[in-house]
Amino acid sequence: MTAGTVGTAVENTRTRLLATALRLFSEHGVEGTSLQMIAAELGVTKAAVYYHFKTKDEIADAVVAPALRELDQLVDEASTRRTRGARIDHALAGFVDLLVRHRTLAALLPSDPGILRAIDRSLRPSGREPFTTRLLALISGPDPDIRERVLTHVLLAGLGLAAGAPDMAELDDETLREHLIEAGRRLLGRPRRRQ
Amino acid sequence: MTAGTVGTAVENTRTRLLATALRLFSEHGVEGTSLQMIAAELGVTKAAVYYHFKTKDEIADAVVAPALRELDQLVDEASTRRTRGARIDHALAGFVDLLVRHRTLAALLPSDPGILRAIDRSLRPSGREPFTTRLLALISGPDPDIRERVLTHVLLAGLGLAAGAPDMAELDDETLREHLIEAGRRLLGRPRRRQ
């Protein structure tokens, strides 16, 4: 085995570990999931889990990290668009796409304080403004009025919760994406897109 | 002291107890609040609390009960309106009004599993459909399509979360109400109201 394949195997274990942790978080909550449960589900020793993560908080942080990174990139990308309409369209489509791809994680948002704490821990030390503030500035300009702040809040909360709602679990990704984007466009007063 | 004034005093204690419990739930979460803390905050003995409620679950149930009862009444009232537009307008204005009056409770929804469990416990044995299902039927008719289901879900979740969001705490009730109703009307494709 070369150093390269060892690296890949370690990376694979880390990826499987995070997927397994997310699944267990969904079933038992972050509080109700132990490192031991994750190890047992993966069929590895607790020491193998410790090799990657020292605490459950570190695992929760790593579970939310990809979606938060994508959100940041999305706002950066949308900011480069020239018109306000194009910025909103890009941000809305990207936000909905991200929610749909991370549906399992989105489903934890309304009921799992462990996930909310992980998101909070991840945002705090970065020194960056939270993506909600950045999305708001993108949608409403640098000095949003109260009306725009309320609309943006309803948008982010409504789309985020609907994407992960048990009632929506039966919908395929494309159908969910289409209707969430329509809801967002209505809220933001954007014209309906042609199919 | 007559039997009547004793009854009133007992009722007052119960009302104060629930207001105090809600405040402590807001600060410490349902999990982090004990009967002892509630008694201490009220300046009564734990036995006085026990006179009204045997467990913290009973207190949580009683804290959410008035809002759930009002929601049920709201849907009943809105159902009597003759046109779909009038039913939607009545339900939306009533729902927003209710959220704004119960802002402190609404603020607990996204982060406190104890409150969500209390709501769940209260709805289950009633044999009634949850208000979300009844509101959906009211807004979209008895056989809503997927598009209407997603829009209604974004509406309920978005308004509910925005009403209790820390970012919105500085807004006075009337301002919050006005902008939440506007968001709801946009989502449901209702014309703007004249001021």
Side-chain angles (χ1 to χ4, degrees):
Chain A
M1 215 184 251
T2 68
T5 56
V6 170
T8 309
V10 167
E11 197 48 45
N12 283 346
T13 304
R14 190 178 187 278
T15 305
R16 280 175 54 225
L17 197 159
L18 292 178
T20 302
L22 176 57
R23 187 154 43 78
L24 290 172
F25 290 166
S26 301
E27 289 167 22
H28 310 286
V30 173
E31 294 302 317
T33 302
S34 64
L35 293 189
Q36 182 56 55
M37 286 163 75
I38 296 171
E41 189 77 11
L42 272 171
V44 303
T45 62
K46 209 169 155 188
V49 173
Y50 271 123
Y51 175 82
H52 293 276
F53 300 102
K54 294 295 168 260
T55 65
K56 194 168 59 176
D57 277 358
E58 284 184 22
I59 297 180
D61 291 354
V63 162
V64 301
L68 293 178
R69 202 161 44 230
E70 288 174 42
L71 267 172
D72 249 352
Q73 286 168 355
L74 169 66
V75 180
D76 287 343
E77 275 171 28
S79 308
T80 64
R81 300 298 167 116
R82 285 188 54 200
T83 65
R84 178 167 170 265
R87 286 193 291 275
I88 290 178
D89 291 352
H90 189 95
L92 178 62
F95 183 60
V96 167
D97 184 63
L98 202 153
L99 283 172
V100 171
R101 280 187 291 106
H102 294 280
R103 282 166 84 159
T104 315
L105 184 58
L108 289 173
L109 292 179
S111 60
D112 201 308
I115 285 295
L116 296 176
R117 277 197 295 272
I119 291 174
D120 194 45
R121 275 195 305 273
S122 303
L123 292 177
R124 223 178 313 132
S126 70
R128 301 191 79 156
E129 286 183 297
F131 72 89
T132 47
T133 312
R134 299 181 66 217
L135 269 178
L136 175 59
L138 192 76
I139 289 170
S140 315
D143 194 19
D145 63 18
I146 289 170
R147 182 174 155 281
E148 290 164 327
R149 280 173 48 210
V150 176
L151 283 172
T152 306
H153 213 102
V154 173
L155 175 85
L156 297 177
L159 298 185
L161 254 68
D167 292 1
M168 303 292 129
E170 70 192 86
L171 303 185
D172 64 76
D173 286 1
E174 190 44 43
T175 305
L176 180 61
R177 193 180 286 118
E178 177 194 333
H179 295 302
L180 289 180
I181 287 180
E182 189 197 342
R185 296 184 77 82
R186 281 184 172 216
L187 267 172
L188 297 175
R190 299 289 300 153
R192 289 193 70 166
R193 289 187 308 179
R194 267 173 280 173
Q195 297 298 315
Chain B
M1 212 185 254
T2 68
T5 55
V6 170
T8 309
V10 166
E11 196 49 44
N12 283 347
T13 306
R14 190 178 187 276
T15 305
R16 281 176 53 224
L17 197 159
L18 293 178
T20 303
L22 176 58
R23 189 155 43 78
L24 290 172
F25 290 167
S26 299
E27 289 168 21
H28 310 286
V30 174
E31 294 301 317
T33 303
S34 64
L35 293 189
Q36 182 56 57
M37 287 163 74
I38 296 171
E41 189 77 10
L42 271 171
V44 303
T45 62
K46 208 168 154 186
V49 173
Y50 271 123
Y51 175 82
H52 292 277
F53 300 102
K54 294 294 165 263
T55 65
K56 194 168 59 178
D57 278 357
E58 284 184 23
I59 298 180
D61 292 354
V63 162
V64 301
L68 292 178
R69 201 162 44 231
E70 288 174 40
L71 266 172
D72 249 353
Q73 287 168 353
L74 169 66
V75 179
D76 288 343
E77 275 170 29
S79 308
T80 65
R81 301 298 168 116
R82 284 188 54 202
T83 65
R84 179 168 168 266
R87 286 192 292 274
I88 291 177
D89 291 352
H90 189 95
L92 178 61
F95 182 60
V96 166
D97 184 62
L98 203 152
L99 283 172
V100 171
R101 280 186 292 107
H102 295 279
R103 280 167 87 160
T104 316
L105 184 58
L108 288 174
L109 293 178
S111 59
D112 201 308
I115 285 296
L116 296 177
R117 277 196 297 271
I119 293 174
D120 194 45
R121 275 194 306 272
S122 303
L123 293 176
R124 226 180 309 133
S126 70
R128 300 191 79 157
E129 286 183 296
F131 73 88
T132 46
T133 312
R134 299 181 67 218
L135 269 178
L136 175 58
L138 192 77
I139 290 169
S140 314
D143 194 20
D145 64 18
I146 289 170
R147 183 174 155 281
E148 290 163 328
R149 281 173 47 211
V150 175
L151 283 172
T152 306
H153 213 102
V154 173
L155 175 84
L156 299 176
L159 297 185
L161 254 68
D167 293 0
M168 303 292 127
E170 70 191 89
L171 302 186
D172 64 77
D173 286 1
E174 190 43 45
T175 305
L176 180 61
R177 193 180 286 120
E178 176 194 333
H179 295 302
L180 288 180
I181 287 181
E182 188 197 341
R185 296 184 76 82
R186 282 183 172 216
L187 266 173
L188 297 174
R190 299 287 301 150
R192 288 192 73 166
R193 288 186 309 177
R194 266 172 282 171
Q195 297 298 316

